Amino acid sequence: MINIRLPKLQLNHDNKLFWSLFSPVFGISIITCAFLIFSRFNDLDDNLYQRTQHITEQVATTSEYAIVFSDQNMMYRILQNALSNQYISSVQLFNSEQKIIAELGTEFVVKSTNFPNRSEIQTFPDHFISISAVHYNNNALDGAFNPQSDLFGPVSQQNLIGWVKIQADTALVQIKKYQYASLVLLVFFAFNLGSGLIFLRITKQLILPVKNVESTLNKLAKEQFSAAKLLRLPAEYQSLQKDLLFLTERLEHNKHEMNAGIEQATEDLRRSMDSMEEKSAQLHIANREAMESNRLKSQFLANISHEVRTPLNAILGYTKTLQKGIKDPQHKLYIDTIEQSTNSLLAIIGDILDFSKIEAGKLSLESNHFNLRALIDDVYQTLSINLLTKEKQIDLVTEYDVQLPEWIIGDSTRIRQILTNLIGNAIKFTHQGSVKTKVSCQAQSDNKLTLLFQIVDTGIGIPEHKIDRLFKPFSQVDTSTTRQFGGTGLGLVISKKLVEQMQGKIEVSSDPSIGSTFRFSLCLQASGNLMNQKDSLDRHIILLEPSSTYRAHLTSYLHSIGVKTTRCSDIEQLISALHEKASTVDGIMLSLGPEESSVEETKELISYAGQHFAIPCIVMIQPPRSITQNPELKALASEMLLKPVSHDRLYKALQQINQRGIQGEDDISPVIESNQTRKGLRILAVDDAPINLQLLSHWLQPHGIDVTLAYSGQQALALASEQAFDLIFMDIQMPEMDGMETTQQLRQLNAYQNTPIIALTAHALGSEQQQILASGMNAYLTKPIDEEVLFRTIDEWCSNTKTFQQQVDATLVNIFDMQKALDIVNGKADIAKEMFTMLADSLDNEKKLIQHHLEHQDTEKLIEVVHRIHGASKYTGTFNIARHAGFLETHLKELGMEDVEGVAEDFIHAIDDLLNHRDLITWSQE
Ligand code: ADP
């Protein structure tokens, strides 16, 4: 039922209506009564006053002769006459000496009196006293008619001969007033009663229909339409009654329509819910399928990446081998192109793999200590070797804020990836000018650092309308560059995701007439490593650098490490500076120009400076020139550095400038030395791809290593059981029995419990690395394998006398104590294992909880979690976790969240350490 809410009608206003009609009438009647009474009272008072005055004067006039003639009779008759008036209670006559000569009536209330010359009335509450002087008028009297003139003495014209004093009572008037007032009040009450009754009736007649309308409206509100239709109103309200009836019918009709609409809508809703349910089920299925296909896609990508890397590995390896022997420049160009293309292909595969990892949310960051400045130098060196050409000679400059620590904690691989992409792009798209990488600190709190990186180039820039597209997958502003440099259009997308994962932001501003600036921030940590603190060198060098930008950069760096510079822009300037300052100068630093002649010039200059002044020379060369191409120059120079110079190498070169003398020793040998200890080593190489095996044996055999090849896991096991090997290279992905399973089986053979097994893998996922180590392998190399790294690994593992178990134990010594774990449960390994597994399984979630509570500064909840882990870790041999949990718990209880970051971080590291190495723990079988 629809609940129509009408405002409740307040028609209970009968009283109001009655009073609004009756009160004016009532008010007017009160005013009228008051007026009538008041005016009547006034009239009566006036009347009495005037009458008293009049009688007094009358008595005074008439008693004139009586006084003159001392006619007592007359006096009394006059007084009698006056007293006959109903209001007069007493009358007195006084002679001229103010003595009473006649008196009638009651006694005067007030005795003492003034005797005025004329007349006067005094008013008292109950009576008036009127006095009038009696004068004798000579003109009016004839002396013959004045027989008593002797009696009363001579009378002058207008002589005062006495006074008349009359007392009038107001009692009668009061009675009249009361009578009148009573009458008026009676009329007043009768009138108001009558009009009240009339108004009451009128009110009732007016209100009744309104009440009926009210009750009808209430019925309408309650949807009682039939009851509402029964409304009957008096004839004068017929039109209202008609309208109400019409309204009722309309409402009734609307209600029916609405009900029908609701029923229809409910039906529709039910149907659409059914279809939604169906759709949701379909979606669910589709989602499951999508997830499955996503998983298959990731699997496919991982496999493809492996499959593609394997042949690429061979191509790169053989290319490098070929490069050494080829003399024909044309052939060399072909080989270089093959190498370059293979490298781009590898980069593309890396990008696609990274992108799919990011899409699947599987990319996890690692944390290590690294030198950021050296990393940037390294990125520059690699990129400059690959991207600079004879035609493209640009300045590559790092502006590293001197206040900033060089050692940082973060994921150096991913930071290198971001920088390589951005700086690589900047170099690709800049044809002249410079590419600067500026690093500064944006914010710092405790040991947390927010670093701002800016890669500023003077290249072709990006049109404004295309900037939005930059961070979208597979988008390139100008596809023609793809042909020139390769690239998938994924670099920036991956960089953006990586930056965001490190709680940073990336943005770009660009102007085709100026160049582009890519800016990104990263949230990292300063490492306590103080290796970057360099002593001031106190040297003086002459610097020849034709590029003003690079010259300014070098000067500022040299200044920061205590090296004084005399700057020159050409050889002539340098020679004159040498002549002038030879006695104070410690060395020369010069940049080899791009022209062919500059090599000869430089050689001459170095010899000259050495022979005449014994001043050593550091030579800087810019790719595409390479150090190995100029062995003579290298032999002459005290040091040869590739531009942009690595700051560390430059520092070392300057440090050694005096000690090394003019003829510097060669310290870097790109050629892999033949190491006598490798001779006679027996190595088993296992891989399902024959091409990779061939490459391995091609590399190893010349060094006198005895290489045995196995094309599958089974063959490797068979070979291993027949003969002994010093080291095994094991491919991971092989059909039937993969590398990890083969290793596990090999480890079961007595002879192979401690043999170093090195994985060769195309996969680089962090989780896989753990699996590889957990399966019993000692280390892993990622394809494509570098010849130099391969030999370094062989040297490292073959000189290693530790057994595999010893290495594992050494790793676990600071993480887990098996003895303690067993002691607690009386040596019962299965119970110890169960308890350990319970704790280890819970740690991932607990870690998230800890991070959550840390973020929300919730001390109590954090203590709860830490306490729980503390308790559990004490009984499971995980003493490192127990120790750090103890520290954290105490800290939280005593100091709360203040400076807790470091302690909490150590605790989380302890958890990570355990989780990363838990697979290495072997439980003895009971
Ligand atoms: P790719 O791996 O193909 O280089 P990126 O995502 O790194 O892909 O870059 C996408 C596109 O953005 C490039 O192809 C280029 O057109 C443009 N771009 C990136 N950096 C710069 C730059 N510094 N100057 C001009 N264009 C740039």
Side-chain angles (χ1 to χ4, degrees), residues 813 815-828 832 835 873-880 882-883 923:
V813 77
I815 300 171
F816 176 74
D817 188 336
M818 176 65 85
Q819 202 49 49
K820 272 195 183 153
L822 291 173
D823 283 352
I824 297 250
V825 289
N826 295 330
K828 295 213 165 50
M835 282 167 63
S873 57
K874 279 198 240 163
Y875 305 109
T876 45
T878 51
F879 67 93
N880 195 36
R883 197 160 58 99
W923 299 88

Side-chain angles (χ1 to χ4, degrees), residues 421 425-426 428-429 457 460-462 470 475-478 481 486-492 516 518:
N421 179 247
N425 279 346
K428 277 188 216 170
F429 298 105
D457 68 47
I460 57 169
I462 305 157
L470 281 184
S475 68
Q476 281 164 327
V477 172
D478 177 5
T481 52
T488 47
L490 284 176
L492 288 177
S516 315
F518 281 80

Side-chain angles (χ1 to χ4, degrees), residues 854 859 862-863 866 884-904:
L854 270 174
T859 320
L862 189 55
I863 292 178
V866 177
H884 286 290
F887 292 157
L888 183 57
E889 199 177 337
T890 319
H891 184 107
L892 286 169
K893 283 182 180 161
E894 286 176 7
L895 301 169
M897 285 289 182
E898 202 179 309
D899 294 331
V900 77
E901 289 83 6
V903 197

Side-chain angles (χ1 to χ4, degrees), residues 576-793:
S576 69
L578 194 61
H579 279 279
E580 259 175 53
K581 303 180 177 172
S583 56
T584 58
V585 166
D586 299 301
I588 297 169
M589 245 180 95
L590 64 89
S591 229
L592 202 64
E595 321 80 42
E596 278 308 315
S597 59
S598 69
V599 178
E600 286 312 311
E601 272 175 19
T602 309
K603 277 193 215 160
E604 275 174 33
L605 183 84
I606 301 172
S607 309
Y608 177 75
Q611 284 159 13
H612 290 85
F613 305 101
I615 291 177
C617 201
I618 298 170
V619 178
M620 298 176 285
I621 57 166
Q622 171 122 332
R625 286 186 196 278
S626 80
I627 296 175
T628 43
Q629 273 172 356
N630 296 284
E632 289 172 42
L633 203 56
K634 187 168 189 303
L636 278 174
S638 113
E639 183 67 273
M640 266 182 93
L641 300 172
L642 210 56
K643 267 168 84 176
V645 291
S646 145
H647 295 83
D648 271 350
R649 283 205 197 132
L650 176 59
Y651 182 86
K652 272 187 206 137
L654 288 166
Q655 210 175 21
Q656 289 168 2
I657 216 167
N658 281 345
Q659 301 151 8
R660 295 186 60 178
I662 305 162
Q663 303 285 326
E665 293 163 23
D666 288 356
D667 60 343
I668 313 157
S669 168
V671 189
I672 295 150
E673 292 161 36
S674 196
N675 186 331
Q676 286 307 309
T677 54
R678 292 182 204 139
K679 225 174 195 159
L681 278 178
R682 287 155 304 163
I683 291 182
L684 173 65
V686 191
D687 199 319
D688 61 325
I691 198 164
N692 281 346
L693 289 180
Q694 272 173 36
L695 182 63
L696 274 176
S697 65
H698 170 83
W699 275 333
L700 301 177
Q701 267 165 355
H703 292 262
I705 297 172
D706 179 5
V707 192
T708 309
L709 308 178
Y711 296 89
S712 69
Q714 288 91 338
Q715 197 185 354
L717 285 171
L719 283 167
S721 55
E722 283 165 18
Q723 42 182 303
F725 293 102
D726 300 309
L727 185 139
I728 299 172
F729 283 118
M730 178 74 70
D731 183 29
I732 292 294
Q733 213 166 45
M734 291 187 291
E736 290 175 39
M737 187 189 281
D738 70 10
M740 290 189 253
E741 198 186 331
T742 314
T743 307
Q744 277 161 359
Q745 297 208 14
L746 275 173
R747 289 283 181 227
Q748 310 216 330
L749 304 175
N750 279 341
Y752 288 94
Q753 275 176 3
N754 301 317
T755 311
I757 303 180
I758 315 291
L760 303 178
T761 172
H763 298 221
L765 289 174
S767 55
E768 241 155 6
Q769 292 164 7
Q770 294 307 323
Q771 279 176 19
I772 289 169
L773 296 181
S775 72
M777 300 200 199
N778 301 64
Y780 55 85
L781 294 176
T782 313
K783 289 176 185 174
I785 288 145
D786 188 79
E787 195 182 349
E788 217 180 311
V789 180
L790 181 77
F791 281 105
R792 228 187 294 136
T793 315

Side-chain angles (χ1 to χ4, degrees), residues 222-491:
K222 289 177 193 157
E223 296 181 354
Q224 298 165 348
F225 299 112
S226 351
K229 281 183 196 164
L230 298 177
L231 171 76
R232 291 291 167 266
L233 293 176
E236 48 282 23
Y237 294 102
Q238 273 315 300
S239 91
L240 176 62
Q241 181 177 322
K242 251 169 77 187
D243 287 351
L244 270 173
L245 200 66
F246 177 68
L247 177 70
T248 311
E249 275 162 4
R250 281 220 57 102
L251 277 176
E252 194 175 13
H253 174 73
N254 285 354
K255 194 205 157 184
H256 286 316
E257 272 193 356
M258 200 165 66
N259 281 347
I262 288 171
E263 266 167 35
Q264 180 64 37
T266 317
E267 177 62 19
D268 289 352
L269 205 68
R270 200 184 51 73
R271 261 196 237 130
S272 53
M273 271 171 74
D274 284 351
S275 91
M276 258 166 71
E277 239 167 63
E278 202 181 305
K279 287 253 159 55
S280 153
Q282 281 169 356
L283 266 177
H284 188 71
I285 295 166
N287 189 27
R288 267 219 329 253
E289 281 169 2
M291 270 160 63
E292 176 58 15
S293 64
N294 204 22
R295 195 189 62 77
L296 288 175
K297 187 189 83 184
S298 299
Q299 183 74 44
F300 171 74
L301 270 171
N303 290 342
I304 279 287
S305 126
H306 176 265
E307 295 304 330
V308 178
R309 269 171 206 246
T310 305
L312 284 181
N313 182 33
I315 296 173
L316 259 187
Y318 282 121
T319 312
K320 284 208 173 113
T321 311
L322 278 177
Q323 265 172 340
K324 285 179 203 159
I326 286 181
K327 296 272 180 296
D328 181 4
Q330 194 59 38
H331 287 173
K332 198 167 166 8
L333 185 74
Y334 295 157
I335 291 290
D336 286 349
T337 315
I338 294 175
E339 191 194 4
Q340 217 175 18
S341 310
T342 316
N343 278 328
S344 336
L345 209 55
L346 273 172
I348 291 171
I349 290 168
D351 273 2
I352 293 178
L353 201 65
D354 274 345
F355 183 68
S356 80
K357 266 192 267 176
I358 290 170
E359 288 269 275
K362 278 192 183 162
L363 191 112
S364 56
L365 294 176
E366 283 164 15
S367 168
N368 48 353
H369 293 248
F370 66 96
N371 186 319
L372 178 60
R373 185 172 198 151
L375 186 141
I376 299 172
D377 285 347
D378 209 33
V379 169
Y380 261 139
Q381 294 245 313
T382 319
L383 289 172
S384 68
I385 293 170
N386 288 326
L387 299 176
L388 292 188
T389 58
K390 261 190 196 153
E391 294 72 36
K392 184 192 284 221
Q393 289 290 309
I394 53 177
D395 293 315
L396 306 177
V397 176
T398 320
E399 288 180 14
Y400 199 91
D401 188 345
V402 279
Q403 305 294 331
L404 216 60
E406 288 186 8
W407 283 84
I408 303 283
I409 304 175
D411 191 333
S412 58
T413 317
R414 295 303 178 185
I415 296 174
R416 178 189 289 270
Q417 192 176 352
I418 301 168
L419 285 169
T420 307
N421 179 247
L422 297 183
I423 299 176
N425 279 346
I427 298 176
K428 277 188 216 170
F429 298 105
T430 303
H431 303 305
Q432 56 192 25
S434 64
V435 172
K436 285 185 187 162
T437 302
K438 302 180 184 178
V439 189
S440 56
C441 180
Q442 204 176 39
Q444 182 166 19
S445 67
D446 303 327
N447 58 348
K448 284 226 156 48
L449 276 177
T450 307
L451 297 187
L452 177 69
F453 295 77
Q454 298 184 73
I455 290 96
V456 187
D457 68 47
T458 56
I460 57 169
I462 305 157
E464 204 180 332
H465 63 279
K466 291 190 174 167
I467 283 186
D468 289 349
R469 274 202 249 148
L470 281 184
F471 295 100
K472 299 213 172 100
F474 307 106
S475 68
Q476 281 164 327
V477 172
D478 177 5
T479 40
S480 63
T481 52
T482 318
R483 286 192 289 280
Q484 200 182 340
F485 300 107
T488 47
L490 284 176

